[in-house]
């Protein structure tokens, strides 16, 4: 008779879990000493790993853990370093890691309420907690209506998933507003809008949904110009909508950004929402992509960036960026669940069950592309309970305060300039143009400075290109908000930047 494999005993598991926890603890304790950006050459790790899986098991993870230390850690970019200032933060925390661990250990699959009621109902409750904590209006929450509410929140993998979900909901709602016979023919007439500064995931969603044939196809995917502060120009959007409607187009989706990737500019939701209503009524979907900056809304003093959110049909942000919660965790709320699930729901016989048929429960499988889903609410629940809202606010406030300090340091040095208005924890800056220097020469000096800085391994910054009155400008981005970053790291970073600038 065939036997199955030999599994870990409970005792072995507890012992190994302790050793993995020690490894993580040691990693955290020493991560600031490592070169922040990975220094390995392409293919180095690939060459160090055997080309085929082992036939015989090792009966222990000792050798594997040794390989983690000797092969894997040196080939990482250390996102958890206090000196990581690139892109946006990718926060983790003890409670979040333990929530992930527990979720893995419980191993439930919460595609339907019935496949693990706790996975669904904890997520509903935690999304209501967080939605209320960032000041979302009641229609975005389940509230006392629970599973029968018209709105509510869900954890999506990423802001990119959320954008796609919102877009297909808007497409569905717009097509449903037409007589049935006209719906299929209306597909080529649908149009979607976002600003030139929006994240590429919005365009990607349009490509996946068939509204753009490629990145340069702007026939149905329309890019709205921005104002001087790099936020969407609502008057330009209104003009575009009017022109499109006059041409017989069917606007179905607008994505406004609160905290653009390049510079954290915030689109004016009130003006964008009002313009959309004026031209198209309430059929097209207004989505708010607050992937990074949404975390700041746990602080009442930062909520001005979402003024007008009551116009929105959906809103999302990533606690996995700046709110102490491990990737992946995008929180997405909608006030119109029916359009979202209308666009996503397919019910084969094998998924049918009595509570779902009775409409008495939330089945999250209908809220996003994947059917299967992890129990991600656990980590968010752990974070919210461990830190409390006060703890989350103090984390955000520290990031903003340190960014203000860094901005001051940049302004105090005549060789540099701040390159975009700072809204929260991101400072865009660059070496200022020298008299008589071309914009290409200024860009080249900045590119060179960034490369020299990152090559030191002592910090990691990223760059972007921002539109300007004249030519576009290459700028450096200093994003502050890693869990370990304190004032000493920001001052040390500035010291290095000022020295490298020569
Ligand atoms: N939207 C904005 C404004 C972002 O800044 C980012 C990433 O930085 C994204 C969307 C994409 O995020 P995700 O990786 O969650 O898809």
């Amino acid at each position: 008779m065939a036997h199955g494999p030999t599994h870990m005993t409970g005792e072995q598991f507890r012992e190994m879990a302790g050793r993995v926890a020690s490894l993580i603890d040691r990693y955290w304790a020493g991560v600031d000493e490592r070169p922040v950006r990975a220094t390995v050459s392409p293919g180095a790790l690939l060459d160090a790993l055997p080309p085929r899986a082992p036939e015989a098991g090792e009966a222990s993870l000792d050798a594997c853990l040794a390989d983690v230390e000797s092969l894997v850690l040196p080939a990482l970019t250390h996102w958890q370093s206090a000196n990581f200032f690139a892109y946006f933060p990718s926060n983790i925390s003890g409670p979040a890691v333990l929530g992930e661990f527990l979720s893995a250990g419980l191993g439930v699959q919460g595609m339907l309420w019935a496949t693990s009621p706790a996975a669904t109902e904890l997520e509903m409750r935690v999304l209501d907690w967080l939605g209320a904590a960032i000041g979302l209006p009641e229609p975005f929450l389940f509230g006392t209506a629970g599973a029968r509410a018209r709105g509510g929140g869900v954890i999506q993998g990423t802001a990119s998933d959320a954008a796609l979900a919102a877009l297909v909901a808007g497409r569905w709602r717009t097509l449903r507003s037409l007589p049935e016979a006209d719906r299929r023919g209306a597909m080529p007439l649908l149009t979607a809008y976002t600003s030139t500064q929006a994240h590429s995931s919005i365009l990607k969603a349009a490509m996946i949904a068939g509204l753009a044939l490629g990145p340069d196809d702007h026939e149905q995917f329309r890019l709205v110009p921005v104002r001087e502060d790099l936020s969407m120009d609502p008057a330009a959007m209104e003009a575009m909508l009017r022109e499109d409607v006059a041409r017989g187009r069917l606007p179905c989706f607008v994505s406004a950004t609160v905290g653009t990737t390049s510079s954290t500019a915030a689109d004016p939701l009130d003006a964008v929402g009002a313009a959309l209503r004026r031209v198209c009524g309430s059929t097209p979907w207004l989505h708010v992509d607050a992937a990074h900056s949404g975390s700041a809304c746990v602080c009442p003093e930062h909520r001005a960036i979402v003024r007008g959110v009551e116009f929105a049909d959906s809103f999302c942000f990533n606690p996995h960026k700046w709110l102490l919660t491990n990737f992946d965790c995008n929180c997405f709320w909608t006030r119109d669940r029916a359009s979202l699930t209308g666009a996503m729901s397919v019910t084969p016989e094998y998924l049918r069950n009595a509570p779902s048929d009775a409409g008495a429960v939330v089945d999250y499988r209908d809220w996003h592309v994947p059917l299967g889903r992890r129990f991600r609410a656990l980590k968010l629940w752990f974070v919210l309970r461990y830190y409390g809202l006060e703890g989350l606010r103090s984390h955000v406030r520290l990031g903003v305060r340190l960014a203000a300090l860094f901005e001051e340091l940049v302004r105090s040095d005549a060789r540099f300039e701040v390159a975009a208005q700072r809204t929260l924890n991101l400072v865009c800056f660059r070496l200022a143009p020298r008299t008589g220097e071309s914009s290409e020469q200024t860009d080249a000096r900045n590119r060179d400075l960034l490369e020299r800085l990152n090559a030191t391994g002592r910090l990691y910054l990223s760059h972007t290109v921002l539109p300007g009155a004249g030519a576009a400008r290459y700028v450096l981005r200093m994003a502050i908000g890693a869990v370990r970053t304190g004032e000493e790291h920001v001052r040390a970073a500035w010291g290095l930047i000022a020295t490298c600038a020569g």
Side-chain angles (χ1 to χ4, degrees), residues 142-159:
F142 292 107
T144 50
R148 297 195 186 275
R150 296 178 65 180
V154 63
I155 301 181
Q156 306 265 2
T158 64

Side-chain angles (χ1 to χ4, degrees), residues 88 157-161 199 201-202 257-261 289-292 318 320-321 327 330:
F88 280 134
T158 64
S160 306
D161 297 312
H199 190 264
S201 55
I202 311 300
T257 313
V258 170
T260 57
T261 313
D289 174 10
H292 166 266
N318 289 347
H320 69 228
K321 281 188 161 60
F327 187 88
N330 169 273

Side-chain angles (χ1 to χ4, degrees), residues 281-292:
S282 53
T283 300
W285 191 278
L286 176 58
H287 175 59
V288 179
D289 174 10
H292 166 266

Side-chain angles (χ1 to χ4, degrees), residues 21 43 73 93 115 133 157 199 217 225 232 261 264-265 268 275 288 326 413 420 442 461 483:
L73 297 188
S93 66
T115 61
H199 190 264
D217 178 9
M232 186 193 277
T261 313
T264 58
V288 179
N326 283 61
D413 188 324
T442 316
L461 302 181
V483 175

Side-chain angles (χ1 to χ4, degrees), residues 123 127-128 130-131 134 136 140 142 151-169 253 285-289 313-319 329-337 340-341 344 364 366-368 380:
E123 186 160 325
L127 269 281
D128 264 14
L130 193 56
I134 61 169
L136 284 183
F140 287 96
F142 292 107
V154 63
I155 301 181
Q156 306 265 2
T158 64
S160 306
D161 297 312
L164 179 61
L167 174 53
V168 298
F253 179 72
W285 191 278
L286 176 58
H287 175 59
V288 179
D289 174 10
D313 295 285
S314 57
F315 178 96
C316 81
F317 85 98
N318 289 347
C329 185
N330 169 273
C331 291
F332 173 90
W333 292 266
T334 178
R335 62 162 78 237
D336 181 7
R337 278 170 57 190
L340 181 65
T341 58
M344 300 267 196
Y364 276 133
D366 294 332
W367 293 52
H368 45 47
L380 197 52

Side-chain angles (χ1 to χ4, degrees), residues 160-161 163-165 167-168 171 187 200-215 221 369:
S160 306
D161 297 312
L164 179 61
L167 174 53
V168 298
R171 182 178 69 184
M187 279 290 284
S200 55
S201 55
I202 311 300
L203 168 58
K204 189 169 178 177
M207 287 164 60
I208 295 168
L211 264 71
L213 296 176
F221 182 73
V369 174

